[in-house]
Amino acid sequence: MKNNRVICFGEVLWDVFPTHKVVGGAPLNVCFHTNNLGLKAQIISAIGNDSLGEELKTFLIQNNIATDFIHTNNVLSTSTVDIKLSENGNASYTIVEDVAWDALFINEDIVHAVTEADVLIFGSLACRSENNFEVLLHLIEKAQKRVFDVNLRAPFYQQHSIEKLLSKADIVKMNDDELDEIVGWYSLNGDLKHKMAFVIDKFNIETLIITAGEEGAYCIHDGTFLHQEGFRVEVKDTVGSGDSFLAALVYKMLNDKSWEECLQFACATGSLLATKSGGTHKVDENRIQEFMQKSN
């Protein structure tokens, strides 16, 4: 097993449910699950100089995630997101603005780490601030492999910034609703495969992955179209399922597995996490493999 290095960029926060709170943020969830699966992963982000920040940092340390690239902001507070769940477990989010991760910066150590890493993983929410967008663009130019986890959270994105990030990415993951929105910018119609091919061609993307809930996930890699059916589960909530999917996909990819195996393992991981509450419930490879065998 390789000891590959993954660097994630973006938000760390507390997901606040009606009855409790859990550590979250898409990049942090990806970092958590990637690290838990055995790849060395770190995250570039920020917390406030407050009790929520200290609690979040303690969580990272307890889960063997290095905090070297977590800046403490003495002015802005640690981020929180209020979450409401529908009857079928789908989540809606109220994201607080002007928080610590809105003001990220980098130093020589961070640039060096990104240069040496196998993969840089980034999303779009952290780019709601122009400062973060410029910082990320600088890091992208240093990265060996660039993975863009599209995360369209209105009103925190603009078409031009999403297009820029798509054009810089090697691998892109988004859900089917996000795909429809993006191709809608160009008044494109057609089936899912046609829409995916359009995005790949327009932005010169190496690999495009679309998650589609119960329908599983779709992938086009080097012109080959793949579909992995979904795993049927009783959903507790969908928070972090897409993030664990991406972590599992990157884990298998960096261990030189076929894209069919990457997609199957990722779908199983995301489905398994949906049976749990929150985005940072630990699911190891043995548990995922057992789940896949029972499902088959």
Side-chain angles (χ1 to χ4, degrees), residues 242-253:
D243 307 326
S244 65
F245 172 100
L246 181 58
L249 185 103
V250 169
Y251 167 69
K252 286 295 184 181
M253 179 190 76

Side-chain angles (χ1 to χ4, degrees), residues 24-235:
L28 176 54
N29 291 340
V30 174
C31 181
F32 174 90
H33 290 291
T34 307
N35 198 63
N36 185 55
L37 286 168
L39 300 181
K40 186 177 181 182
Q42 286 183 267
I43 183 165
I44 302 164
S45 193
I47 55 176
N49 187 9
D50 49 35
S51 59
L52 285 178
E54 283 301 313
E55 200 174 343
L56 199 155
K57 196 170 184 178
T58 298
F59 171 88
L60 296 176
I61 293 169
Q62 289 175 341
N63 285 280
N64 300 313
I65 298 173
T67 60
D68 307 53
F69 305 150
I70 302 286
H71 170 67
T72 299
N73 191 304
N74 291 318
V75 177
L76 299 174
S77 60
T78 300
S79 176
T80 58
V81 172
D82 293 325
I83 294 182
K84 292 183 179 179
L85 300 175
S86 64
E87 290 184 359
N88 61 0
N90 288 322
S92 60
Y93 306 87
T94 302
I95 305 171
V96 177
E97 298 184 62
D98 296 321
V99 293
W101 59 257
D102 281 313
L104 299 180
F105 65 90
I106 53 177
N107 55 30
E108 290 184 5
D109 289 341
I110 290 175
V111 172
H112 178 74
V114 169
T115 302
E116 293 296 314
D118 292 281
V119 175
L120 173 67
I121 301 176
F122 54 92
S124 46
L125 179 57
C127 293
R128 68 180 182 180
S129 78
E130 188 64 28
N131 167 79
N132 287 4
F133 185 52
E134 294 301 323
V135 167
L136 176 58
L137 289 178
H138 180 74
L139 291 177
I140 285 173
E141 296 302 324
K142 305 294 184 181
Q144 295 184 40
K145 181 76 74 175
R146 297 157 288 270
V147 178
F148 179 22
D149 183 13
V150 179
N151 193 8
L152 301 184
R153 295 277 185 255
F156 301 121
Y157 63 92
Q158 296 177 317
Q159 181 178 337
H160 76 88
S161 61
I162 301 300
E163 290 173 327
K164 185 76 169 179
L165 294 175
L166 286 169
S167 70
K168 296 286 186 179
D170 301 305
I171 299 170
V172 176
K173 189 219 87 176
M174 65 181 77
N175 64 37
D176 49 352
D177 290 332
E178 290 162 339
L179 175 65
D180 286 342
E181 181 167 350
I182 288 170
V183 300
W185 296 340
Y186 315 101
S187 303
L188 180 78
N189 295 311
D191 60 17
L192 181 138
K193 187 176 180 180
H194 179 67
K195 293 173 183 176
M196 290 177 68
F198 171 82
V199 172
I200 280 181
D201 291 341
K202 183 169 183 61
F203 298 104
N204 193 29
I205 296 166
E206 175 186 302
T207 307
L208 176 62
I209 301 112
I210 305 297
T211 57
E214 292 181 354
E215 295 180 14
Y218 302 84
C219 174
I220 294 181
H221 173 74
D222 282 347
T224 301
F225 179 79
L226 303 170
H227 175 221
Q228 170 62 48
E229 293 183 357
F231 293 82
R232 295 192 176 276
V233 295
E234 185 174 337
V235 175

Side-chain angles (χ1 to χ4, degrees), residues 252-265:
K252 286 295 184 181
M253 179 190 76
L254 289 181
N255 283 286
D256 301 320
K257 302 303 180 181
S258 70
W259 279 97
E260 290 88 348
E261 186 171 344
C262 292
L263 212 59
Q264 183 185 46
F265 187 76

